[in-house]
Amino acid sequence: MGAHEPTRFLAPAFPPRNLRTIILSFIGTCFFFSFYRLSRLPDASYYPHYIYDHIANYFEHGVYNNTLYQNGTEAAVHPHWNFSQPCQGFPSLDGIMPVMKTGATESFDKMPTQLLTSLQCLPDFLLFSDLEQQIGRYHIYNVLDRVEDILSSDRSEFLLYQAQQDCPISQRECTAGMPGGWDLDKYKFLNMMLRTWEMRPGMKWYVFVEADTYVVWSNLVDWLNTRMNATEDVYVGGIAFLNNLPFAHGGTGYAISGVLLERLVAHIKEIPAKEINEMAMRTCCGDALLADVIDKLAVSVLRASPMFNGDKPNTLPFSPRDWCQPLFTLHHMNSEEISAVWQYEQTRTKTDPLQLRDIYQAFVAPNMVPRRPMWNNLAEQRCLAKPEDGRNVIEKHAHKSVEACARVCLAEGLDVDAEAYEKLKTDDERDWYLRQRYRRQTASKPISKERHCFSWRYREGKCCTSDSFKLGYPVGGAKKEPDATSGWFVEGIDRWIKDHGQCPDGTDWVTPTCVGKWCPEEVERRKKQMEQERKNKEEMLKQFGLTLGEPKPSEAKASTDKAGGIFKASEKLG
């Protein structure tokens, strides 16, 4: 046997010293740039979101790409989100009762999306319609099932109601094309008040909306709880007018304090059912009828616009007037739009109250371009149809072409030499001339805060402009409108936002304004007017040696009590 060889221990195979240096340097560089990127984030609270956005989708169930994340929305929403916990952070609605009104002809088109979005997070709510229905675990109550003689009339709305009750298959197949849906709706309002108080009495606030209304509950709940007094007679929303009667528009949404709803219900119960039906028949709209009945209680509506808003993202007017206010509601929302705004609420990067400008940044700004053919952006505040309509050389030519119309916004506020401008022969020369002056002027001073031209629309030889900017919609197809070309002064809009649109004072919570004859100022005005009329009568009678007769003590006391009640009610609204 050979000699025993000593055991050999092999040293670890470390890379050469130079290679190790390169590897360690690379790792160190990666760490450095990672921490550098974190240091550039807005604040420390964003670190978890940053890490979540970049790695969570590889590990968590329920995390998906955020379809709202696109060019232009990178700062507005997170690129990925865990959609499995939609109600996390949802506000408490303690003392607030949401009530949603729909109709049998639309309930299965609109309600499922509502129930899949914000309504799923509400601990309690009421759904009213003109037919009792069930959608999953949610029950819809027929608010008209106690209305007398509703099935004995030959009015179109009652024929529709009867067809709905008798339908043995889907409502779409039974009632498609039948008239009367709009008219049937107006009978629901007063009955809805009765049933709401009967089923959920004693709440601090009642919020009434419709199936195509989107509610930003975080804003509305905060406002009701911290800025409104539930012990007063409050009827507040976005208002409209009917024959000089201001009323809270139903689709925009409105809130009624519990103390007022209790008084209102007691008053409605005193009205014979037949008279309620006749009142509804005589009016166009149930929300106006509701306001008329509330008016009998010496209560006027409070306007809280644009927080209660009757538009939707593509028709919202953005401007210096409507920018920093919080948003409570959007109206005329289809299911896709409701889902999109709910998704935005879930995935937005900001945590402060959702403002009008946030809707612009998320849904409108990414789609803003200088010009869109076959498009109506609803610019129609001021129209130029002939040279005499113009106030300067640019506006005098605006009706001639799309190109001439587009220059109106660009030229606003510029010092334009009319004689020199008239000598320019082509559109390119005119555009270059104006752009040079615009950039020279804006380079030296901020753009005017009160700008009057942000968008324009050219249609059939008429150039219309607006001091707000809306996205709008395509014409043709479903929208049977004349052809139009619309445009936006994008450079001016971006510059205005940079100079004036940062909301340095924070969220502009609008103080509601009273509109109607029971407002304190209006009551005081009428009181002074009555006193003046009395003085005038006394002066006239003195000329004939007569005096104005005093009312009997009992009549005077009754008149004083009535006036005192009016003033007390109006003071509550203040």
Side-chain angles (χ1 to χ4, degrees):
M1 295 180 64
H4 177 71
E5 295 183 3
T7 303
R8 294 183 179 181
F9 295 93
L10 298 177
F14 287 112
R17 185 181 300 273
N18 290 342
L19 182 57
R20 276 183 287 166
T21 302
I22 293 172
I23 293 173
L24 291 174
S25 298
F26 176 75
I27 294 173
T29 302
C30 290
F31 272 105
F32 171 78
F33 279 108
S34 297
F35 282 107
Y36 174 77
R37 289 188 68 185
L38 286 173
S39 70
R40 306 299 294 174
L41 295 176
D43 53 63
S45 65
Y46 192 75
Y47 291 179
H49 293 297
Y50 179 85
I51 296 171
Y52 180 84
D53 285 341
H54 288 78
I55 67 172
N57 57 310
Y58 297 105
F59 300 101
E60 280 194 54
H61 174 71
V63 176
Y64 299 99
N65 291 334
N66 183 4
T67 54
L68 296 179
Y69 188 84
Q70 56 181 302
N71 289 336
T73 66
E74 296 92 342
V77 295
H78 295 288
H80 310 99
W81 195 255
N82 185 345
F83 292 96
S84 66
Q85 298 177 325
C87 301
Q88 188 173 6
F90 200 82
S92 169
L93 269 72
D94 184 37
I96 300 174
M97 176 51 54
V99 181
M100 182 169 286
K101 177 173 64 65
T102 185
T105 58
E106 65 176 16
S107 57
F108 276 87
D109 292 329
K110 297 180 178 180
M111 289 307 304
T113 303
Q114 291 280 11
L115 296 169
L116 284 170
T117 54
S118 61
L119 288 189
Q120 68 178 314
C121 301
L122 301 182
D124 189 19
F125 54 88
L126 293 173
L127 304 177
F128 290 121
S129 180
D130 43 36
L131 179 70
E132 189 171 16
Q133 293 177 302
Q134 190 77 22
I135 300 180
R137 62 189 179 95
Y138 301 101
H139 194 73
I140 302 176
Y141 296 92
N142 181 1
V143 77
L144 300 179
D145 60 0
R146 301 178 189 174
V147 176
E148 295 182 7
D149 302 325
I150 194 169
L151 297 178
S152 61
S153 172
D154 59 357
R155 293 175 64 93
S156 62
E157 61 264 34
F158 295 153
L159 294 177
L160 171 64
Y161 181 81
Q162 184 166 0
Q164 291 175 173
Q165 311 305 312
D166 296 341
C167 180
I169 53 177
S170 72
Q171 290 294 317
R172 184 188 296 273
E173 295 183 70
C174 285
T175 61
M178 287 189 67
W182 172 265
D183 289 325
L184 186 60
D185 186 73
K186 61 189 179 183
Y187 296 86
K188 300 173 190 174
F189 282 80
L190 297 185
N191 289 288
M192 181 170 64
M193 300 298 138
L194 294 171
R195 296 291 282 275
T196 296
W197 185 259
E198 175 187 314
M199 299 173 70
R200 301 293 190 275
M203 306 295 284
K204 291 192 298 184
W205 293 103
Y206 295 84
V207 177
F208 296 90
V209 295
E210 300 191 356
D212 61 348
T213 308
Y214 184 88
V215 182
V216 183
W217 287 106
S218 56
N219 285 353
L220 181 56
V221 169
D222 182 23
W223 184 70
L224 290 175
N225 284 337
T226 63
R227 291 173 170 81
M228 299 298 289
N229 190 343
T231 65
E232 299 179 348
D233 288 334
V234 178
Y235 166 47
V236 60
I239 71 168
F241 287 85
L242 178 66
N243 299 328
N244 296 321
L245 172 70
F247 62 93
H249 181 244
T252 302
Y254 53 96
I256 296 178
S257 61
V259 293
L260 176 58
L261 185 61
E262 184 175 17
R263 289 183 59 210
L264 175 62
V265 167
H267 177 67
I268 295 173
K269 287 181 177 179
E270 295 176 355
I271 306 173
K274 185 177 181 180
E275 185 177 339
I276 290 179
N277 287 351
E278 291 174 351
M279 291 164 61
M281 290 179 189
R282 291 194 300 267
T283 188
C284 76
C285 319
D287 39 13
L289 173 60
L290 174 63
D292 190 37
V293 176
I294 292 177
D295 184 74
K296 302 298 189 294
L297 301 176
V299 176
S300 286
V301 64
L302 299 178
R303 172 171 30 208
S305 301
M307 300 185 299
F308 285 97
N309 206 294
D311 284 293
K312 57 183 181 176
N314 67 306
T315 61
L316 267 174
F318 301 99
S319 72
R321 298 181 303 276
D322 302 310
W323 190 253
C324 296
Q325 298 91 339
L327 190 64
F328 296 165
T329 61
L330 295 163
H331 186 218
H332 298 301
M333 300 280 282
N334 61 41
S335 291
E336 184 178 351
E337 291 162 337
I338 287 173
S339 179
V341 178
W342 170 250
Q343 182 177 339
Y344 171 65
E345 271 207 273
Q346 297 270 293
T347 63
R348 61 193 293 253
T349 55
K350 295 169 63 177
T351 57
D352 52 351
L354 193 154
Q355 299 170 312
L356 289 170
R357 63 169 178 160
D358 296 323
I359 296 294
Y360 172 78
Q361 298 293 355
F363 294 98
V364 178
N367 301 298
M368 292 292 269
V369 293
R371 185 181 303 181
R372 283 185 186 272
M374 297 293 292
W375 196 269
N376 184 2
N377 66 359
L378 304 169
E380 49 197 11
Q381 183 182 25
R382 178 169 176 255
C383 292
L384 307 167
K386 54 186 183 298
E388 293 76 17
D389 295 334
R391 294 176 295 202
N392 56 50
V393 66
I394 310 299
E395 293 183 356
K396 290 181 185 299
H397 292 278
H399 66 287
K400 293 182 177 179
S401 67
V402 169
E403 290 74 18
C405 184
R407 295 187 196 106
V408 174
C409 289
L410 173 61
E412 182 188 343
L414 300 183
D415 183 15
V416 177
D417 185 329
E419 185 176 350
Y421 183 82
E422 292 283 16
K423 292 179 180 179
L424 300 174
K425 300 184 181 303
T426 67
D427 287 327
D428 289 341
E429 289 178 347
R430 298 183 187 102
D431 289 342
W432 183 88
Y433 175 89
L434 293 176
R435 289 198 177 279
Q436 291 302 311
R437 275 154 181 74
Y438 173 79
R439 287 167 183 166
R440 191 180 306 132
Q441 180 171 310
T442 55
S444 59
K445 62 180 181 179
I447 194 171
S448 172
K449 186 175 182 179
E450 301 301 326
R451 188 171 181 84
H452 299 290
C453 189
F454 284 113
S455 59
W456 55 269
R457 184 190 67 199
Y458 188 79
R459 171 185 278 172
E460 298 178 333
K462 183 184 293 186
C463 175
C464 297
T465 64
S466 178
D467 64 357
S468 65
F469 39 102
K470 308 175 186 180
L471 183 56
Y473 51 81
V475 296
K479 295 284 186 181
K480 297 180 180 179
E481 297 182 9
D483 185 15
T485 297
S486 293
W488 300 263
F489 184 31
V490 178
E491 185 176 355
I493 292 172
D494 291 343
R495 182 61 187 267
W496 178 85
I497 293 173
K498 177 183 176 182
D499 291 345
H500 306 291
Q502 302 307 310
C503 301
D505 297 326
T507 303
D508 180 14
W509 297 92
V510 178
T511 301
T513 55
C514 184
V515 182
K517 65 183 180 182
W518 303 114
C519 301
E521 297 82 1
E522 183 62 20
V523 170
E524 185 63 25
R525 186 193 67 79
R526 294 206 314 274
K527 181 180 177 182
K528 290 180 179 179
Q529 182 180 0
M530 292 171 63
E531 291 175 351
Q532 185 61 46
E533 289 175 354
R534 180 180 177 85
K535 289 180 181 179
N536 293 341
K537 289 180 181 179
E538 288 177 345
E539 291 295 329
M540 183 180 66
L541 291 173
K542 281 181 181 179
Q543 297 177 8
F544 299 96
L546 302 173
T547 59
L548 191 64
E550 295 294 333
K552 296 178 181 179
S554 59
E555 294 176 352
K557 184 178 186 304
S559 177
T560 302
D561 290 345
K562 183 177 180 181
I566 291 172
F567 297 140
K568 183 177 180 181
S570 66
E571 287 165 3
K572 281 186 177 182
L573 281 173

